[in-house]
Amino acid sequence: MKTYQAKPGEVERAWVLIDATDQILGRVASAAAQILKGKHKPQYTPHIDTGDFVVIVNASKIKVTGAKATDKMYYSHSGYPGGLKEEPFSRAMERHPERVIERAVKGMLPKNTLGRAQGKKLKVYAGAEHPHQAQNPQEIKLEG
C-alpha cells in the first residue's frame, strides 16, 4: 500500500463559517487553525496547504475566561530602544476586535511560508455581515 501525498493542484477548498457569538477565544482560534491547516481532511499533508477558507463573524462578541478580560496584554515593539508598547485586551476589543482573533489564530499556525499562506485564508469580521455569501460558506457549530 502506498502513502498518499496531496498535490497543490488537487486540493479542493471549501468555505467554512464560524459564528463567534459568546464563544471562547482560544477554542474558536484552535478550531479555525485546524481547518486552515486542513487537519480535518483525510488527505492532510503536512508540507502542502490542504486547508479550507475560514470566515469568522461577530468577532466583537467573543469571550475570554477568568480574569483575562482585564489582565491579558498584547505587546509590540518598534525596534527602537524603549519602543515596547502594550495594549490591554479590553482596549484591543474596543478598537479592533478582528485583530484579536487573527492574532490568536496566527499564533497557532506554523511560523514559515506555509503558515503565512494558510493565514491569508482567514477572514474575520466584527459584525454579522460578511462579503463572502457568493462562496456559500458552510456554517459549523462549536461546542460550548
Side-chain angles (χ1 to χ4, degrees), residues 131-137:
H132 304 289
Q133 292 294 359
Q135 283 76 23
N136 205 8

Side-chain angles (χ1 to χ4, degrees), residues 85 112 134:
K85 293 187 174 119
N112 54 25

